[in-house]
């Protein structure tokens, strides 16, 4: 049974930073794809970032490029989302997702290609 457990969310002031973690059990990130999505109130869930191939080959959404980065630690089977320069527009529930296999560029940002999802962690950016 695959489980993804996110942590690291919380409240931060504009301009601040947070680092989200996603720990997996029952699945090895180094042999699959792992990504982050977010859903703001009243909006659809959207792609944020992914390591689309064997725990590598990062992709980041244009809306967070230059501010967010994704990484993983294979020894801990944990993926991370480092978020810097946060603004109110980044307020959302952030979800970790994993695919059974690596993804190609044209599908890596599509949530329907991910097989497993975490429960989500809230990130609130406000003054």
């Amino acid at each position: 049974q695959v489980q993804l457990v996110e942590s690291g969310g919380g409240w931060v002031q504009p301009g601040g930073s947070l680092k989200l973690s996603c720990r997996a059990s029952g699945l090895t990130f180094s042999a699959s794809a792992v990504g982050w999505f977010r859903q703001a109130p009243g909006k659809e869930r959207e792609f944020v970032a992914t390591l689309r191939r064997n725990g590598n080959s990062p992709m980041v959404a244009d809306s967070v490029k230059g501010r967010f980065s994704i990484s993983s630690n294979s020894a801990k089977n944990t993926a991370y989302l480092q978020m810097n320069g946060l603004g109110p527009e980044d307020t959302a529930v952030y979800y970790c997702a994993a695919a059974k296999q690596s993804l190609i560029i044209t599908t890596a940002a599509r949530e329907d290609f991910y097989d497993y999802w975490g429960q989500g962690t809230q990130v609130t950016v406000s003054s």
Side-chain angles (χ1 to χ4, degrees):
Q1 181 179 0
V2 176
Q3 284 191 321
L4 304 176
V5 180
E6 301 105 330
S7 61
W11 173 83
V12 64
Q13 291 185 332
S17 297
L18 281 175
K19 186 175 185 177
L20 306 182
S21 299
C22 173
R23 182 172 56 84
S25 58
L27 176 142
T28 302
F29 284 155
S30 60
S32 61
V34 56
W36 290 93
F37 292 75
R38 67 184 182 184
Q39 187 167 22
K43 295 187 177 181
E44 294 186 350
R45 189 157 56 186
E46 64 174 358
F47 167 75
V48 177
T50 187
L51 293 171
R52 64 175 184 86
R53 185 181 180 193
N54 296 337
N56 215 322
S57 302
M59 284 176 50
V60 179
D62 289 343
S63 59
V64 302
K65 196 166 291 182
R67 300 188 298 123
F68 291 13
S69 62
I70 185 171
S71 62
S72 68
N73 183 322
S74 58
K76 297 182 178 180
N77 210 27
T78 300
Y80 305 97
L81 183 68
Q82 177 67 49
M83 306 184 293
N84 300 324
L86 286 161
E89 68 278 10
D90 298 312
T91 294
V93 177
Y94 284 71
Y95 297 90
C96 175
K100 294 177 183 177
Q101 56 193 17
S102 295
L103 300 174
I104 60 176
I105 292 176
T106 53
T107 60
R110 292 179 51 176
E111 62 177 84
D112 54 332
F113 278 79
Y114 290 80
D115 303 290
Y116 310 103
W117 292 82
Q119 80 286 353
T121 185
Q122 176 71 46
V123 171
T124 302
V125 185
S126 70
S127 54

